[in-house]
């Protein structure tokens, strides 16, 4: 099986722009979670999608949003980018998002905001 | 709120030796799951080992084992016969049935040849 894929791998944007990141889960996985990883804050949970519905959300401003399509692929969007949004954005997929389900991570998208 | 603490920002071990990475967590829940993830320099996170809180027996996966002390809320990872490929950032993580995954700050493990 192909692993979790994320596109693009690298992205450079300027303040005020918006960005869309994509995540394709492992075939058969219906849950996709997104995380932000920074040197200062570490790994922080953004949100989780299951069957096209946001099931859980972390403590991030409304500029961060996401969605999931019927094929379980997910996108996250960040509007009005700020310098502090520079981070590695990881997505992880699992069968159904239960705590007993192993999460498989993608390679991440490195976002740099100038 | 559930928090996960890794008190060792960096650790090093000689190849073939054993190293233990520490993790403590804070929770008021009784049913939860604990994980150790490895993030090599290539950045793809990989699950190393998991432990269900209701299980008293410590989990083992080949050279990796945990010491789970529920009362002390401690969950350390022991790597035996360390190999160069074990060099990575190691993250301890916690998840309950009602919450998202919470990660510790990570421990950078260096393996010396």
């Amino acid at each position: 099986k192909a692993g979790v894929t994320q596109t693009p791998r690298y992205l450079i944007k300027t303040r005020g722009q918006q960005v869309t990141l994509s995540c394709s889960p492992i075939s058969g996985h219906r849950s996709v979670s997104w995380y932000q990883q920074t040197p200062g804050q570490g790994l922080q949970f953004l949100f989780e999608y299951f069957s096209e519905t946001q099931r859980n959300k972390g403590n991030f401003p409304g500029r961060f949003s996401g969605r999931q399509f019927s094929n379980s692929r997910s996108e996250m969007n960040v509007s009005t980018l700020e310098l502090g949004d520079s981070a590695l954005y990881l997505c992880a997929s699992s069968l159904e998002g239960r705590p007993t389900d192993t999460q498989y991570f993608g390679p991440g998208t490195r976002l740099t905001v100038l | 709120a559930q928090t996960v603490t890794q008190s060792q920002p960096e650790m090093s071990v000689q190849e073939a030796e054993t190293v233990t990475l520490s993790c403590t967590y804070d929770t008021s829940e009784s049913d939860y799951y604990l994980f150790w993830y490895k993030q090599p320099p290539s950045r793809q996170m990989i699950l190393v080992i998991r432990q269900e809180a209701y299980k008293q027996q410590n989990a083992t996966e080949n050279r990796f084992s945990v010491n789970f002390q529920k009362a002390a809320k401690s969950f350390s990872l022991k790597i035996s016969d360390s190999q160069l490929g074990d060099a990575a950032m190691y993250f301890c993580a916690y998840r309950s049935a009602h919450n998202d995954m919470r990660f510790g700050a990570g421990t950078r493990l260096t393996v010396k040849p």
Side-chain angles (χ1 to χ4, degrees), chain A residues 34-38 41-46 59-60, chain B residues 103:
Chain A
W34 288 90
Y35 298 87
Q36 182 194 65
Q37 186 176 19
T38 61
Q41 299 297 318
L43 275 153
Q44 293 186 285
F45 171 77
L46 280 156
N59 189 25
F60 277 81
Chain B
F103 288 88

Side-chain angles (χ1 to χ4, degrees), chain A residues 35 37 97 99-100 102 105, chain B residues 33 39 44 50 95 100-101:
Chain A
Y35 298 87
Q37 186 176 19
T100 49
T102 298
F105 283 80
Chain B
Y33 305 81
Q39 189 177 40
Q44 196 136 8
R50 65 189 295 150
R95 184 173 184 186
D100 50 272
M101 191 88 84

Side-chain angles (χ1 to χ4, degrees), chain A residues 4-18:
Chain A
V4 178
T5 58
Q6 291 186 245
T7 56
R9 293 292 310 278
Y10 302 91
L11 208 48
I12 300 175
K13 293 285 187 179
T14 56
R15 277 182 300 174
Q17 287 187 310
Q18 76 165 19

Side-chain angles (χ1 to χ4, degrees), chain B residues 5 7 21 105:
Chain B
T5 302
S7 58
L21 308 185

Side-chain angles (χ1 to χ4, degrees), chain A residues 31-95:
Chain A
S31 168
V32 174
S33 296
W34 288 90
Y35 298 87
Q36 182 194 65
Q37 186 176 19
T38 61
Q41 299 297 318
L43 275 153
Q44 293 186 285
F45 171 77
L46 280 156
F47 28 65
E48 183 214 356
Y49 285 86
F50 177 77
S51 289
E52 301 179 65
T53 302
Q54 187 181 88
R55 190 159 64 176
N56 206 352
K57 189 179 190 307
N59 189 25
F60 277 81
R63 300 185 297 105
F64 291 82
S65 62
R67 59 178 175 168
Q68 186 179 37
F69 302 94
S70 59
N71 62 357
S72 294
R73 189 176 71 85
S74 177
E75 288 181 347
M76 68 162 281
N77 184 277
V78 188
S79 62
T80 319
L81 284 166
E82 300 177 0
L83 294 179
D85 297 333
S86 293
L88 182 68
Y89 290 88
L90 297 171
C91 85
S93 77
S94 65
L95 279 170

Side-chain angles (χ1 to χ4, degrees), chain B residues 4-96:
Chain B
V4 180
T5 302
Q6 293 179 250
S7 58
Q8 308 153 315
E10 295 184 356
M11 291 282 284
S12 67
V13 62
Q14 206 70 37
E15 196 175 3
E17 297 293 308
T18 296
V19 65
T20 299
L21 308 185
S22 301
C23 173
T24 58
Y25 57 95
D26 184 28
T27 184
S28 57
E29 302 201 42
S30 58
D31 187 18
Y32 52 88
Y33 305 81
L34 297 164
F35 309 84
W36 278 98
Y37 279 91
K38 169 185 177 181
Q39 189 177 40
S42 66
R43 292 289 184 178
Q44 196 136 8
M45 296 261 282
I46 306 165
L47 177 67
V48 175
I49 198 166
R50 65 189 295 150
Q51 173 83 41
E52 290 85 352
Y54 64 85
K55 289 186 177 178
Q56 293 189 350
Q57 187 172 5
N58 288 324
T60 62
E61 285 288 342
N62 301 313
R63 299 183 294 107
F64 299 88
S65 61
V66 299
N67 183 4
F68 174 47
Q69 303 287 329
K70 190 171 184 179
K73 296 179 182 175
S74 170
F75 181 62
S76 61
L77 173 69
K78 185 171 87 171
I79 306 174
S80 304
D81 186 25
S82 297
Q83 300 175 359
L84 295 177
D86 295 334
M89 280 290 285
Y90 286 81
F91 293 95
C92 177
Y94 162 102
R95 184 173 184 186
S96 74

